[in-house]
Amino acid sequence: MVDRIRPYLALIATQVRGQASYRTSFFFDLAGNVFFLGADLLALLVMLRTSGSLGGFDRAQVLVVFGLSQVAFALADLAVGNIERLRTYVRSGTLDTVLVRPLGVLGQLLAMDVGTRRLGRLVYSAGILAYALRLAHVHWTPAKALLVVVAPVAGAVFFASIFVATATVAFWWIESGELGNIVTYGGRDFTGYPVSVFGGWFRRLFAYALGMGFVAYYPALALLGVRDPLGLPGWVGWAAPAAAPVAALVAGLVWRTGIRHYRSTGS
Amino acid sequence: MGFVTATAARQAGRNFFELAAQFRSFATIGFRRYATYRQATVASLATNTTFGFLRSYVLLAVVAASGAGSIAGYSRAQLMSFVWLGQGLIGVVLLWGWNDLSERIRSGDVVMDLLRPQHPVFAYVSADLGRAGYAFATRFLPPVVIGSIVFGMALPTRATTYALGLCSVLLAVLVCFLCRYLVNSCAYWLLDNRGPTMAWMVFSGVLGGLYFPLRMLPGWAMWALWLGTPFPSILQAPLDVISEHGGVPGPAAMLAVQAAWAVVLLAACLLVQRRAERRLVVQGG
């Protein structure tokens, strides 16, 4: 087992050393990611200042949803966010070098570009979540303590699946451009608000068909001990992390199909 | 052979007509270039539209929760105009994703721009206006049509709004371009332009009025942004002019601020360009 992981660890270590040697760049990336989150938080706070509540939830409760979603996204972005670059590899044909090595393709791609620079975002979003949970006066039980750890990890697996699945589109459509952003960054923004904010088919599509309601909203309801204004039973919040393995399975299938469609650039 | 300077002697058009002809050729190039990126246009359009839905629902929830029929002086319909015009304008002003110049500086290709007899700022701004013309048809109109069908938008009630709105959009394109030119020009000094690019992406969106109308901020903060930064001149100004927000600053004041920022930024671009040309060492000689 250790022998199988060792090459990947070596790849990751090389990456981290390489990135840290460009100090200014590293610092800017670190700071930039924190600023981006700050901008999202600012927008949310400005809106809460005007309205006092959103979708039937008060300020602290909305912040719990936001915090859960942000921690999950930051974790996923840290681990697999750079898979977005697959498009560039496919376009330039550099994926060939990855394919000829005797290691798993997806594993190599992930290890080739670890987003250590995104660590700042994870720490910051964890701080927001901790603050929000305190503000919301959660009545802690052992089960809730477990859920508050499991939910962001499951959410991260969910987002990671979305990252991998959308990046795979590049095998068919190289110029897919920012199309993947709809579900990756759009998903991050969607999950940051209570699902009750949204309406109509947009809510049904994103929250239930794509499963994004189960990333932060339903676990937050369980933590807060609040009934779902949309009418789903209370146990859904506890079962929500189960959406992650399903998403991972789908993403895995999409990836396997995609990689078989890879044709090099031929030049 | 004599000493070769880094830049060619510049000849501006000798008269207005020559200048206009030069402008037209650069603008046509900009228009044609972006017209070839059809798949990318479709992808951007889909993204802008999805985020339009997201922002519409969030702002509608803010109105619903505040209990009043309006927030910060925007009626429901005006808020929808704000969101969907904003989603359309992202592509017209090209808020994000332009690093052509900094890449050319990094690779040294920028030398081609400097050897042309036209001033690079003139050449780039002309091409960008051509690009904006293409984007107006392909990236502005579709989200606006979708938004007005799905959510209902406030259409301008006064005929003058259309004229003022067009001027405001034009100034917004100019201000946004000049900002991007400055951000890209940092590459003359830094080469790796990731830092300035990232700072621009963060601040232009949130402080420009893309995520929420700046009028939702306390008065002092709103005024500080309007007068102290160019960001509101890029999105907030045209959005308020076209959605006919009745508050202060009014349309004339907003256009004046936009024009002032365009002049200041143009002067800054010319200055930076002059300094940069003295310092440029083309890579890879």
Side-chain angles (χ1 to χ4, degrees), chain B residues 186-208:
Chain B
C186 292
Y188 281 115
W189 285 268
L190 300 175
L191 285 183
D192 179 5
N193 214 35
R194 244 184 293 185
T197 307
M198 199 173 275
W200 161 254
M201 277 184 72
V202 175
F203 292 120
S204 61
V206 73
L207 303 182

Side-chain angles (χ1 to χ4, degrees), chain B residues 39-197:
Chain B
Q39 292 188 339
T41 304
V42 171
S44 307
L45 209 52
T47 311
N48 292 156
T49 306
T50 313
F51 276 89
F53 274 98
L54 209 130
R55 290 191 181 126
S56 295
Y57 281 118
V58 170
L59 282 176
L60 286 176
V62 173
V63 183
S66 67
S70 67
I71 44 169
Y74 296 91
S75 67
R76 244 185 82 109
Q78 278 177 321
L79 274 178
M80 292 303 101
S81 308
F82 185 88
V83 170
W84 290 96
L85 292 169
Q87 291 308 112
L89 278 179
I90 292 175
V92 178
V93 300
L94 194 65
L95 199 55
W96 301 310
W98 189 76
N99 55 1
D100 294 18
L101 180 61
S102 66
E103 280 302 306
R104 285 172 76 79
I105 294 167
R106 205 168 63 88
S107 66
D109 291 343
V110 72
V111 74
M112 290 302 170
D113 304 330
L114 299 178
L115 284 173
R116 281 200 200 106
Q118 286 83 23
H119 195 284
V121 174
F122 174 78
Y124 271 97
V125 81
S126 312
D128 199 63
L129 286 170
R131 176 206 59 75
Y134 174 73
F136 192 81
T138 54
R139 290 192 57 187
F140 179 75
L141 295 177
V144 170
V145 169
I146 292 169
S148 54
I149 290 172
V150 179
F151 290 93
M153 282 170 39
L155 281 177
T157 52
R158 293 184 293 269
T160 48
T161 301
Y162 288 96
L164 288 175
L166 204 63
C167 289
S168 186
V169 169
L170 203 62
L171 282 169
V173 172
L174 204 59
V175 170
C176 187
F177 164 77
L178 293 168
C179 286
R180 284 186 273 120
Y181 195 89
L182 280 180
V183 171
N184 272 262
S185 294
C186 292
Y188 281 115
W189 285 268
L190 300 175
L191 285 183
D192 179 5
N193 214 35
R194 244 184 293 185
T197 307

Side-chain angles (χ1 to χ4, degrees), chain A residues 145-180:
Chain A
L146 184 66
L147 184 64
V148 85
V149 177
V150 170
V153 174
V157 172
F158 187 91
F159 274 127
S161 312
I162 289 181
F163 268 117
V164 171
T166 52
T168 310
V169 175
F171 286 121
W172 291 280
W173 186 7
I174 296 179
E175 298 295 331
S176 56
E178 45 183 314
L179 205 60

Side-chain angles (χ1 to χ4, degrees), chain B residues 5-67:
Chain B
T5 54
T7 49
R10 300 243 161 81
Q11 7 171 269
R14 270 169 300 230
N15 56 46
F16 174 77
F17 293 104
E18 206 173 290
L19 203 67
Q22 290 175 357
F23 172 80
R24 205 170 51 237
S25 22
F26 280 116
T28 313
I29 291 169
F31 185 99
R32 286 217 190 119
R33 177 177 164 208
Y34 278 83
T36 56
Y37 300 156
R38 275 191 218 122
Q39 292 188 339
T41 304
V42 171
S44 307
L45 209 52
T47 311
N48 292 156
T49 306
T50 313
F51 276 89
F53 274 98
L54 209 130
R55 290 191 181 126
S56 295
Y57 281 118
V58 170
L59 282 176
L60 286 176
V62 173
V63 183
S66 67

Side-chain angles (χ1 to χ4, degrees), chain A residues 122-206:
Chain A
L122 179 62
V123 174
Y124 189 18
S125 53
I128 294 172
L129 178 61
Y131 174 72
L133 287 168
R134 252 196 65 186
L135 210 63
H137 300 297
V138 176
H139 299 287
W140 289 105
T141 59
K144 281 185 183 177
L146 184 66
L147 184 64
V148 85
V149 177
V150 170
V153 174
V157 172
F158 187 91
F159 274 127
S161 312
I162 289 181
F163 268 117
V164 171
T166 52
T168 310
V169 175
F171 286 121
W172 291 280
W173 186 7
I174 296 179
E175 298 295 331
S176 56
E178 45 183 314
L179 205 60
N181 292 4
I182 292 177
V183 273
T184 52
Y185 298 101
R188 180 196 64 198
D189 287 6
F190 182 92
T191 53
Y193 295 97
V195 170
S196 51
V197 162
F198 305 99
W201 59 267
F202 188 75
R203 170 166 76 200
R204 285 194 290 275
L205 175 68
F206 271 79

